[in-house]
Amino acid sequence: MSFMQIKDLKVHYPIRGGFFNSVVDNVYAVDGISMEFERGKAYGLVGESGCGKSTTGKSIIGLEKISSGDIIYEGENVTNKRRDRRSNYNREIQMIFQDSHSSLNPRKRVAEILQEPIRNFLKLTPAEEDKKISELLAIVGMPEDAKLKYPHEFSGGQKQRLGIARAIATNPKLIIADEPVSALDLSVQAQVLNFMKDIQTEYGLSYLFISHDLGVVKHMCDHISIMYRGRFVESGNKQDIYTNPQHIYTKRLLSAIPNVNPIGREERKRERIEVEKHYQAEHKQYFDENGRVYDLVPVEGSSTHLVAAKAKGGF
Ligand SMILES: Nc1ncnc2c1ncn2[C@@H]1O[C@H](COP(=O)(O)OP(=O)(O)OP(=O)(O)O)[C@@H](O)[C@H]1O
Ligand SMILES: [Mg+2]
């Protein structure tokens, strides 16, 4: 049974222009996605740069405005309650950010950084707070004297551990981890990922694990959705996606050779435009007449696997 459902989530950013600075168009950053989270399981969200992964994560914790859709948490519609400090939802759903460097306040010492969520959500005495901070540091494998240091005094891997410590400070049920290791060296990536798995088992945590790296997602996740231009092109359990991929875009992601030299944002954007042209010309069955990804339909013979395709027997 899932403890949280996201239904038809949309996040549109208005583009203003013209003489009256009116809304001339929208960026459809997230354009109708649905997800379910189960206790102790990791849900992977994969896709290329700009497909809407971070916007999805941020809108779930309330850092982005939701245009439409619902978030149901333990049976209650919390869509408009996000960021309300009194609600359990905000204590129990936490996020680890894509860029740990800029998400940790450089002017605050580690103790103050970790104190913040504790103060916001837990009612503890100063002595209990201090003990909790020591415990958190021990859990993420950091020394006690880290308390008095500033974020810049730590390596990338250590900063990401501090980000994790902050996220687990309030005993969350779900952690949204947005590219938690992509900025780290490969050897450190494995360490942080394995550590995340360990605390998942120990605390029965669930993850929404966001990554552009299918290898990382395969290692971490039970259920995977492939995102493309704000929509899901395919969704299923790990087995479905890796042994029986359906959508051409999934197949392409699975066959892609990892970039030895990571390419820049502009280059990736150019590549995406090329890919889109190719798909739209050659694979009409995967996009409707407006170039929009179709709604998900069940893959024949499976109860867990969905693919975006023209529904059979439809119009
Ligand atoms: N505040 C904003 N206003 C307008 N457009 C935005 C805003 N934030 C994001 N976007 C656009 O929404 C789309 C999705 O962005 P998002 O950051 O969610 O992508 P992403 O999948 O996380 O990419 P990356 O892998 O590079 O982190 C992009 O086209 C982006 O340019
Ligand atoms: Mg992102």
Side-chain angles (χ1 to χ4, degrees):
M1 243 312 267
S2 65
F3 64 94
M4 175 163 159
Q5 302 89 38
I6 306 231
K7 297 182 178 168
D8 204 22
L9 178 74
K10 294 185 184 175
V11 181
H12 296 169
Y13 297 112
I15 304 170
R16 293 182 176 274
F19 191 66
F20 296 104
N21 199 28
S22 52
V23 177
V24 289
D25 202 354
N26 284 293
V27 177
Y28 299 100
V30 180
D31 199 24
I33 61 169
S34 299
M35 298 185 267
E36 288 196 5
F37 301 104
E38 285 178 35
R39 199 100 178 90
K41 302 268 185 194
Y43 189 115
L45 189 55
V46 202
E48 289 174 312
S49 183
C51 71
K53 304 181 296 296
S54 295
T55 307
T56 302
K58 287 186 205 157
S59 69
I60 294 171
I61 63 157
L63 291 176
E64 292 289 349
K65 194 167 167 281
I66 287 177
S67 308
S68 69
D70 291 303
I71 299 179
I72 314 293
Y73 182 63
E74 291 181 335
E76 187 192 0
N77 193 324
V78 294
T79 318
N80 298 318
K81 283 195 175 170
R82 296 163 306 141
R83 306 326 284 167
D84 171 353
R85 283 187 181 167
R86 284 159 306 179
S87 100
N88 283 345
Y89 181 79
N90 293 306
R91 183 166 64 77
E92 292 171 357
I93 317 291
Q94 294 292 323
M95 184 155 177
I96 302 170
F97 291 88
Q98 189 158 4
D99 179 359
S100 63
H101 182 68
S102 62
S103 72
L104 299 173
N105 188 333
R107 286 181 299 274
K108 287 192 172 164
R109 293 176 199 269
V110 166
E112 295 170 87
I113 291 172
L114 296 180
Q115 212 169 45
E116 206 170 273
I118 297 173
R119 289 247 160 108
N120 284 344
F121 294 111
L122 308 176
K123 299 261 171 298
L124 299 181
T125 64
E128 286 168 339
E129 266 181 13
D130 191 57
K131 187 162 164 266
K132 176 87 184 171
I133 293 168
S134 300
E135 279 169 14
L136 287 169
L137 288 171
I139 290 169
V140 299
M142 301 280 286
E144 176 82 11
D145 67 4
K147 276 184 188 175
L148 297 177
K149 294 186 176 168
Y150 291 93
H152 73 85
E153 296 178 66
F154 297 97
S155 70
Q158 288 174 320
K159 269 188 277 211
Q160 207 51 289
R161 282 170 185 263
L162 292 173
I164 295 170
R166 182 175 58 181
I168 60 176
T170 59
N171 311 325
K173 295 217 168 108
L174 174 74
I175 292 184
I176 300 169
D178 189 358
E179 305 269 13
V181 296
S182 61
L184 306 176
D185 289 342
L186 276 181
S187 58
V188 187
Q189 282 196 6
Q191 278 175 25
V192 174
L193 291 176
N194 288 332
F195 168 71
M196 288 179 73
K197 275 206 146 178
D198 290 347
I199 57 170
Q200 178 183 19
T201 318
E202 194 160 339
Y203 301 105
L205 272 174
S206 307
Y207 286 120
L208 169 57
F209 198 93
I210 297 175
S211 179
H212 62 273
D213 185 335
L214 266 164
V216 168
V217 165
K218 188 178 185 185
H219 179 64
M220 294 297 291
C221 300
D222 307 286
H223 188 99
I224 295 163
S225 288
I226 317 284
M227 196 168 190
Y228 182 71
R229 295 208 304 193
R231 312 252 304 159
F232 287 168
V233 296
E234 191 157 352
S235 187
N237 62 32
K238 182 155 51 181
Q239 190 108 344
D240 296 331
I241 301 293
Y242 287 90
T243 63
N244 189 24
Q246 298 287 314
H247 200 281
I248 183 151
Y249 183 73
T250 312
K251 289 178 185 166
R252 177 182 166 272
L253 274 187
L254 284 171
S255 66
I257 304 152
N259 288 313
V260 180
N261 301 310
I263 53 173
R265 223 186 157 92
E266 276 308 306
E267 253 173 285
R268 275 189 285 174
K269 192 172 164 190
R270 267 201 300 281
E271 187 198 326
R272 194 168 79 238
I273 291 166
E274 279 306 308
V275 167
E276 279 170 22
K277 266 196 222 153
H278 174 77
Y279 287 161
Q280 286 179 28
E282 306 241 336
H283 301 280
K284 287 269 186 231
Q285 72 266 36
Y286 295 110
F287 298 92
D288 69 13
E289 57 273 23
N290 302 314
R292 192 167 185 260
V293 172
Y294 281 112
D295 289 339
L296 293 170
V297 293
V299 172
E300 239 173 78
S302 170
S303 58
T304 50
H305 197 175
L306 301 166
V307 63
K310 201 166 186 165
K312 274 188 192 148
F315 44 99

